Amino acid sequence: MTRYKASVPLTFEWNHFSYTVTGPVATVTLSRPEKLNALTFESYADLRDLLSELPHHPGVKVLVIQGEGKGFCGGGDVNEIIGELIRMKARELTKFTKMTGDVIRAMRECPIPIVAKIQGIAAGAGAVIALAADFRVVGRSGRFAFLFTKVGLSGGDMGAAYLLPRVVGLGRATSLLMLGDTIDAETADRFGLVSQLVDDDSLDAAVTALAARLAQGPSLALSQTKSLLTRELDMPLSSSLELDAMTQALLMTTDDHGEFHAAFNAKRPPQWRGQ
């Protein structure tokens, strides 16, 4: 237990998805394959809570989010969520929409790199969760659909109108969010939504290799890079340069930076310690 986590214990068993840890890699598996891993109120809440406490889980350096079966995530469950939402009043609706946004905020603010493994459909909330990940490794069966307008809601749900233009550009984001069309993996790759496109039978190996590379890397440098990418999205250049300068000066005092210099002169790979 870390001293930065006090009275509330860490959670290692979750009721609304599968959570496993193998070495430094944690994996969340959305496990409702009969419903294309559709999300429920409870799975949203569990994701939010896990992401908030994950930095305190000892030894975890990478998180993989995946779906069981033929799809990644088909979005919110039509009956278990939408069927309930249409009967709710404004106070409860606001609690729900803030909770879903908290999942995305927690993904972006979590210092641990997040890899989304995409096979089959990533639709609605599933598409935004994939979007909020740091890396999207996509099989050729992968498809994306930001289909919120097709259920009569804003295409800007869960931060999609903030994140998507920054990934694929305003024009393509406008088309994807307003029309709600499904795009295949090759189109998503061409748009810049895909980090790595592979054949489906190579998807597991590609995700494992990327997770291992991240886990073996300089974790402080990676977490600070993720933080800067998120924080500087809305900063003017002068503020970004100031934050960059302060971050680099801090990292120059770390053991990892000194290890690079020692490894370079010894002509050996660096042994990163994350400190």
Side-chain angles (χ1 to χ4, degrees), residues 220-222 224-225 246-258:
L220 277 177
L222 295 177
Q224 288 304 306
T225 301
M246 298 302 292
T247 301
Q248 288 296 65
L250 177 63
L251 289 174
M252 287 172 183
T253 69
T254 63
D255 292 347
D256 276 354
H257 186 56

Side-chain angles (χ1 to χ4, degrees), residues 98-172:
K98 286 188 175 180
M99 176 176 70
T100 62
D102 284 343
V103 173
I104 303 306
R105 181 185 296 109
M107 288 182 69
R108 294 310 311 153
E109 293 185 352
C110 179
I112 294 170
I114 300 174
V115 179
K117 172 187 165 186
I118 312 294
Q119 82 284 352
I121 192 68
V128 186
I129 288 172
L131 173 65
D134 299 296
F135 299 90
R136 286 161 295 281
V137 183
V138 182
R140 296 192 183 277
S141 69
R143 293 169 290 137
F144 293 84
F146 297 87
L147 44 66
F148 303 106
T149 59
K150 291 195 171 183
V151 300
L153 297 175
S154 164
D157 198 24
M158 297 173 63
Y162 179 87
L163 291 172
L164 192 59
R166 289 163 168 81
V167 174
V168 303
L170 179 60
R172 283 170 171 162

Side-chain angles (χ1 to χ4, degrees), residues 11-254:
T11 310
F12 294 97
E13 293 186 9
W14 299 84
N15 294 330
H16 302 288
F17 48 70
S18 170
Y19 176 73
T20 59
V21 179
T22 303
V25 180
T27 301
V28 164
T29 304
L30 304 176
S31 49
R32 302 179 76 206
E34 73 284 358
K35 292 195 172 184
L36 289 175
N37 304 311
L39 298 165
T40 64
F41 290 98
E42 294 79 14
S43 56
Y44 273 120
D46 270 1
L47 275 172
R48 174 201 60 197
D49 295 346
L50 171 63
L51 288 159
S52 297
E53 70 170 54
L54 191 62
H56 302 288
H57 282 227
V60 172
K61 295 183 177 180
V62 182
L63 173 65
V64 174
I65 301 179
Q66 62 183 11
E68 182 180 346
K70 296 180 179 180
F72 175 68
C73 175
D77 189 289
V78 172
N79 290 317
E80 292 189 37
I81 289 187
I82 297 178
E84 291 292 320
L85 295 179
I86 60 178
R87 292 191 288 269
M88 287 183 180
K89 301 298 184 183
R91 182 187 298 272
E92 290 301 311
L93 291 171
T94 302
K95 285 183 179 180
F96 170 72
T97 54
K98 286 188 175 180
M99 176 176 70
T100 62
D102 284 343
V103 173
I104 303 306
R105 181 185 296 109
M107 288 182 69
R108 294 310 311 153
E109 293 185 352
C110 179
I112 294 170
I114 300 174
V115 179
K117 172 187 165 186
I118 312 294
Q119 82 284 352
I121 192 68
V128 186
I129 288 172
L131 173 65
D134 299 296
F135 299 90
R136 286 161 295 281
V137 183
V138 182
R140 296 192 183 277
S141 69
R143 293 169 290 137
F144 293 84
F146 297 87
L147 44 66
F148 303 106
T149 59
K150 291 195 171 183
V151 300
L153 297 175
S154 164
D157 198 24
M158 297 173 63
Y162 179 87
L163 291 172
L164 192 59
R166 289 163 168 81
V167 174
V168 303
L170 179 60
R172 283 170 171 162
T174 299
S175 176
L176 290 171
L177 294 182
M178 292 188 72
L179 300 178
D181 292 339
T182 300
I183 58 172
D184 61 20
E186 285 75 15
T187 303
D189 187 33
R190 180 163 50 85
F191 283 7
L193 189 54
V194 174
S195 305
Q196 185 178 357
L197 180 63
V198 299
D199 292 334
D200 278 14
D201 58 7
S202 301
L203 187 56
D204 286 342
V207 170
T208 298
L210 176 58
R213 180 178 178 183
L214 291 166
Q216 294 163 8
S219 56
L220 277 177
L222 295 177
S223 67
Q224 288 304 306
T225 301
K226 176 173 180 175
S227 178
L228 293 178
L229 285 166
T230 299
R231 303 298 177 196
E232 294 183 21
L233 286 173
D234 296 318
M235 284 186 179
L237 177 60
S238 59
S239 298
S240 294
L241 290 171
E242 181 70 15
L243 184 57
D244 286 352
M246 298 302 292
T247 301
Q248 288 296 65
L250 177 63
L251 289 174
M252 287 172 183
T253 69
T254 63

